[in-house]
Amino acid sequence: MRFYVLSTLVGFTLLACAPPAHIRAIETSSLSREAWPEILPLQDLLADHRSAQPGRLNAQEQGAQLSKRVAGLKSRAQRLQRPVIDQTRRARLLAAISRQNG
C-alpha cells in the first residue's frame, strides 16, 4: 500500500515539474527564432539617464524631505499598532465563536 502511495506522489511530482503544453508551444514557435533586438550603445543609455535625473537638492531640502518621510513613517507605525477591529465588532465575533463552539 505504501508503495502505491509513494509511486503516486512521485508521479504527481514529476508531472508538476514538467512544462505545460502552451509553454512548449511558445518555445518551438517562430517567436523564439526571431532576430535578437538591436543593442543600444552604453553612452546613449547613460546620457538618457543623466538627463532624466532631477536637479541636485541642497542639504536643507534633503533634510526637509527626510524629516517629512520620517514623520510619515512614524505616523504609519502608530496606525499599525492600533487594533484592527473596534471593541463592538470584537465582542460580536467572540460571541459568534462561542455560540459556534457550543
Side-chain angles (χ1 to χ4, degrees), residues 44-58:
D44 294 346
L45 291 174
L46 291 175
D48 289 344
H49 177 67
R50 287 189 194 113
S51 65
Q53 287 181 342
R56 288 195 171 268
L57 300 176
N58 61 27

Side-chain angles (χ1 to χ4, degrees), residues 25-43:
I26 291 172
E27 289 173 351
T28 59
S29 71
S30 63
L31 291 176
S32 63
R33 288 181 256 133
E34 291 288 326
W36 286 87
E38 189 174 322
I39 297 177
L40 296 175
L42 183 61
Q43 303 306 331

Side-chain angles (χ1 to χ4, degrees), residues 9 15 42-43 50-51 75 88 96 99:
L9 288 175
L15 283 174
L42 183 61
Q43 303 306 331
R50 287 189 194 113
S51 65
S75 170
T88 56
R99 281 192 311 265

